[in-house]
Amino acid sequence: MAGVVVQTAGRKLGKTEANWVAAVESGTGTTITSILFDRRVGVGEVEEALGDVVGLHPRLRSVIVREGSEFFFKTAEEVRVSVCEVDRSLERFDDDEEGNAREVWHLVTEEELNTPFPTDFPIPVFVPKLYLLPESKSLLVIRLHASAADMASTATIVKCIVSSLHRRSSGESKIAGDVEGVENRNSAEQGAVLPSVEDVIPPGQANKPFWAHGVDVVGYGLVSRRHAYLPFDDTESLRASKLIRGALTVEATNLLLKECKNHGVSIHGVINAAALKAVAAYKRVGAKGEHYGTTVLLQCRNRLQPTLPESSVGFYHAALMRTIHTSEPEPFWDLAARCSQDFDTAIKNRKHFTDMGDLNALMVQAMRFPNLTPSGSLRTSVLSTMYDPVVEDLGEEAAAVGVKDYLSCSSTHGVGPCLALFPFMRRSALQFSFIYSSPLYSRSLMQKLVDSILFYLSED
């Protein structure tokens, strides 16, 4: 196949990637990308398009193998994609467990979000399914292992699928000359194909004395005891990740960005502020306020050495965990400015690199000893979000191949936040996938929070 990246050598998983093996098994980190078509899409058509994708991105045709206590990516040279087709066209289900009307493809996406990867090795990292839905619609669902693909990777994957479908529908089956293919081939020639994030941190930027690691791990643990959380509904029943979608209009997005510029506030600062204000208002904390733990995921490809192309598919996010105090009377833009400055200062001090090992260790401890978390809930913060929204720009090709809608999100019902916000910028509008753990929290509670967050972002 033209444009295929040949990579057969195995690579040991980095510490962050290996951490995700345990996290995915616990219920957190299964990433889903769903593409809804307004037409019937054939299995052969999808397999050819996905063959182009895994040909350009070797990590997606890898499996995770275990040797002793260590994990390795084993990548096949041969490009082969098999798609399972599931017929749901005769099923008329549009209500969730609480009787709320839902779009069928959202419910199917939730099912896949809660479908675990196998625990027996080798473990695949890329599992596609094609669903036949009512009204002659089709839904392509791709389940991704977090160790192999972060949220930024999903935009690359979707764009590549759409481009391949469009090329083939136009009679152009060759993919030689594709920009992503060229970038990955160049990386292969330099011997730096898909390194772990730890292996490409700029020299000196992750340095921290051994004793300081211990102090910071203890410090994170002690500070977390001050954190307030959302009230739990059911801490005993089996949990699953649930999805709520939300969006601003183009006009509201433009106004928000304009106000961010006027106030000198970043988009991640304003999103965090909206979520924290929504939580404080829901809990009626009054003027006294509460301390909340908030986690921001930073996309690091352009911060590494050597830098990686934005189209590189792998896990290259670093987490920043901060404690933010707020009260109900605090002005929204004051809180947004504090959130923005707090995270920007942490990045300036390289906390995303120096604390990477500490946060990985805390994540492992929470999974091993759930009783260390409030009510054994495995909640480690009140919310998590992205530092920058993932930009999804498919152009007119999407409509040309019948794409009606699409979304990406990750499961969080293992170890994770009370509410995870996945922001995307699509066609100049800010959109979100909100994920929460059920029945730890009810859908009605989370819908109120989502509505409040969107209110702050569009009206305040």
Side-chain angles (χ1 to χ4, degrees):
M1 179 184 294
V4 168
V5 180
V6 177
Q7 183 197 13
T8 56
R11 170 173 75 74
K12 181 181 176 181
L13 269 66
K15 291 183 179 179
T16 299
E17 293 166 334
N19 228 26
W20 281 115
V21 175
V24 168
E25 186 175 340
S26 79
T28 290
T30 298
T31 299
I32 295 293
T33 289
S34 292
I35 307 175
L36 179 66
F37 295 87
D38 60 8
R39 63 182 178 90
R40 280 282 185 260
V41 182
V43 170
E45 183 181 3
V46 170
E47 289 180 340
E48 289 181 344
L50 295 181
D52 288 346
V53 175
V54 300
L56 290 172
H57 302 287
R59 182 56 64 241
L60 297 180
R61 61 177 187 269
S62 300
V63 294
I64 299 173
V65 298
R66 183 170 186 170
E67 297 181 9
S69 60
E70 297 181 332
F71 302 98
F72 293 81
F73 284 124
K74 183 178 180 181
T75 307
E77 180 177 356
E78 182 182 8
V79 176
R80 178 180 297 176
V81 177
S82 178
V83 177
C84 174
E85 184 179 75
V86 182
D87 189 351
R88 305 285 281 266
S89 60
L90 298 180
E91 296 184 26
R92 308 300 300 184
F93 59 101
D94 54 7
D95 291 342
D96 64 12
E97 69 282 356
E98 296 182 9
N100 300 305
R102 304 280 305 285
E103 291 193 49
V104 172
W105 75 284
H106 286 172
L107 294 176
V108 173
T109 298
E110 275 186 0
E111 290 178 15
E112 287 292 327
L113 193 63
N114 293 286
T115 300
F117 281 89
T119 55
D120 295 332
F121 294 92
I123 299 173
V125 301
F126 179 87
V127 182
K129 283 186 186 178
L130 181 64
Y131 286 87
L132 306 182
L133 301 184
E135 301 177 354
S136 297
K137 296 177 182 177
S138 300
L139 179 67
L140 174 60
V141 182
I142 300 172
R143 194 151 36 93
L144 299 161
H145 197 288
S147 66
D150 54 23
M151 197 53 58
S153 299
T154 64
T156 297
I157 293 170
V158 172
K159 183 177 181 180
C160 194
I161 292 172
V162 170
S163 295
S164 178
L165 289 173
H166 187 260
R167 269 195 307 270
R168 293 179 181 279
S169 67
S170 303
E172 303 174 21
S173 60
K174 294 183 179 181
I175 59 175
D178 185 282
V179 174
E180 295 170 342
V182 171
E183 290 173 335
N184 281 298
R185 285 198 297 277
N186 288 341
S187 296
E189 293 168 359
Q190 297 167 9
V193 176
L194 303 172
S196 70
V197 64
E198 289 90 353
D199 289 339
V200 281
I201 294 175
Q205 291 202 16
N207 290 352
K208 181 190 286 190
F210 177 78
W211 63 267
H213 280 292
V215 169
D216 283 349
V217 168
V218 173
Y220 276 121
L222 292 176
V223 169
S224 68
R225 294 181 178 275
R226 299 163 54 198
H227 291 170
Y229 297 86
L230 290 168
F232 304 124
D233 277 4
D234 180 353
T235 60
E236 301 297 331
S237 301
L238 190 66
R239 296 168 196 160
S241 291
K242 297 296 182 179
L243 165 72
I244 297 176
R245 296 187 78 195
L248 303 185
T249 64
V250 174
E251 294 77 12
T253 301
N254 289 336
L255 181 58
L256 176 65
L257 295 176
K258 180 180 178 181
E259 289 301 309
C260 284
K261 184 176 181 180
N262 291 340
H263 288 85
V265 172
S266 60
I267 188 66
H268 67 85
V270 80
I271 291 174
N272 266 278
L276 294 178
K277 289 291 287 184
V279 172
Y282 174 81
K283 297 185 70 177
R284 299 180 180 178
V285 298
K288 183 179 179 181
E290 289 181 326
H291 289 87
Y292 299 114
T294 175
T295 304
V296 166
L297 296 176
L298 177 67
Q299 203 276 92
C300 292
R301 287 167 177 79
N302 62 345
R303 301 172 186 270
L304 303 174
Q305 186 176 326
T307 60
L308 297 177
E310 294 298 307
S311 59
S312 299
V313 172
F315 192 90
Y316 297 107
H317 281 171
L320 288 163
M321 184 175 288
R322 312 300 294 166
T323 297
I324 306 291
H325 180 274
T326 190
S327 61
E328 283 190 84
E330 181 175 13
F332 174 77
W333 287 103
D334 288 354
L335 176 59
R338 283 203 298 116
C339 291
S340 181
Q341 182 179 9
D342 186 277
F343 281 98
D344 289 345
T345 299
I347 292 172
K348 184 178 179 180
N349 293 332
R350 308 190 312 275
K351 298 286 283 183
H352 52 296
F353 289 145
T354 61
D355 290 10
M356 187 178 290
D358 303 337
L359 294 179
N360 281 337
L362 288 169
M363 189 174 179
V364 169
Q365 290 303 307
M367 288 186 287
R368 288 180 179 174
F369 307 103
N371 59 313
L372 296 178
T373 62
S375 302
S377 65
L378 287 174
R379 296 312 98 188
T380 55
S381 62
V382 75
L383 69 103
S384 69
T385 186
M386 314 289 293
Y387 185 78
D388 291 309
V390 176
V391 178
E392 298 178 317
D393 184 11
L394 301 183
E396 297 181 357
E397 290 184 345
V401 298
V403 174
K404 184 177 181 181
D405 202 352
Y406 52 98
L407 66 85
S408 296
C409 56
S410 291
S411 62
T412 63
H413 60 275
V415 61
C418 301
L419 179 64
L421 297 78
F422 299 100
F424 301 87
M425 191 65 73
R426 186 191 301 180
R427 294 190 296 272
S428 301
L430 188 60
Q431 302 191 5
F432 294 91
S433 294
F434 298 92
I435 302 295
Y436 67 95
S437 178
S438 174
L440 194 62
Y441 300 109
S442 68
R443 188 171 193 86
S444 58
L445 181 157
M446 286 300 175
Q447 187 65 62
K448 289 177 182 177
L449 284 179
V450 168
D451 292 343
S452 183
I453 291 169
L454 296 178
F455 171 81
Y456 282 112
L457 291 176
S458 59
E459 300 292 341
D460 206 339

